[in-house]
């Protein structure tokens, strides 16, 4: 049995299907999605439908991303802010404009069921963005940080390579879990195009919202698979560029 983790998708159904077809999943494998299924490319609605169907066939764990939370709020209240529209939300809003209420309710149910984080039996943490509490996620006071925080990743990037885990200045958050898998902040911002590891932090967001790929990583072997750059599969669109 293997566990696979999938980074940010941002409405790129064509890329998601492409990379899923590259992996020879077994019946008992677990697939963990790190969130941000929507906002960017034009297939946000279709991505949600794909995931709902996949959940009936595979052992899936779906985490909540900040964009998923913004969509849930819009579907439930019809309220939104212009910043959401400017960061990929406009294509999502357009996609849901003609959807009947029965299907909208199904999507709301899916979004409401998304998990804030997942900790497996070997104390590996899976979370969309990060956390700030030095005692861990169960002590986090402001729960939306799970899908908005960037300080965990920024701390990893700024880590002195000469420090080891026994050093008193080693980040306390890094000591809490065997490994931490995140998305949210594209590794393309630091010139990378594949999953990037610092200390025990693995960032799987390979820039699918922009000109990067969607990535699937086997957490045991660290083998990974990628789609084409998503923008190549949607040549008539801008994504979040």
């Amino acid at each position: 049995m293997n566990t696979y983790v999938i980074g940010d998708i941002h409405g790129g159904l064509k890329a998601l299907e492409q990379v899923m077809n590259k992996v020879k999943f077994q019946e008992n494998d677990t697939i963990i999605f790190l969130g941000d299924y929507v906002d960017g490319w034009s297939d946000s609605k279709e991505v949600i439908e794909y995931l709902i169907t996949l959940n009936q066939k595979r052992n899936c764990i779906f985490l909540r991303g900040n964009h998923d939370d913004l969509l849930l709020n819009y579907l439930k209240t019809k309220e939104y802010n212009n910043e959401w529209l400017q960061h990929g939300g406009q294509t999502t809003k357009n996609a849901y404009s003609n959807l009947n209420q029965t299907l909208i309710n199904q999507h709301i149910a899916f979004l409401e069921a998304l998990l804030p984080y997942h900790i497996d039996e070997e104390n590996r943490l899976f979370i969309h963005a990060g956390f700030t509490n030095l005692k861990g996620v169960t002590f986090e006071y402001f729960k939306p940080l799970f899908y908005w925080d960037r300080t965990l990743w920024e701390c990893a990037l700024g880590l002195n390579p000469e420090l080891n885990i026994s050093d008193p200045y080693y980040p306390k958050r890094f000591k809490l879990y065997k490994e931490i898998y995140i998305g949210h902040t594209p590794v393309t911002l630091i010139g990378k195009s594949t999953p990037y590891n610092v200390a025990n932090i693995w960032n799987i967001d390979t820039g699918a919202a922009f000109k990067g790929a969607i990535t699937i990583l086997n957490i045991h072997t660290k083998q990974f698979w990628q789609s084409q750059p998503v923008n190549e599969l949607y040549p008539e669109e801008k994504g979040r560029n």
Side-chain angles (χ1 to χ4, degrees), residues 40-58:
W41 308 102
S42 60
D43 286 333
S44 288
K45 172 175 63 69
E46 288 78 8
V47 167
I48 299 297
E49 291 171 355
Y50 176 92
L51 297 178
I52 291 172
T53 300
L54 182 69
N55 197 36
Q56 299 168 358
K57 304 174 183 178
R58 298 285 185 185

Side-chain angles (χ1 to χ4, degrees), residues 150-162:
R150 297 195 196 276
T151 65
L152 182 76
W153 181 238
E154 291 170 348
C155 183
L157 291 177
L159 183 66
N160 184 338
E162 295 182 1

Side-chain angles (χ1 to χ4, degrees), residues 84-104:
W84 174 55
L85 299 183
Q86 294 167 7
H87 290 276
Q90 185 63 61
T91 58
T92 304
K93 184 174 179 288
N94 294 345
Y96 279 90
S97 61
N98 296 317
L99 198 64
N100 68 63
Q101 193 60 47
T102 298
L103 288 175
I104 288 177

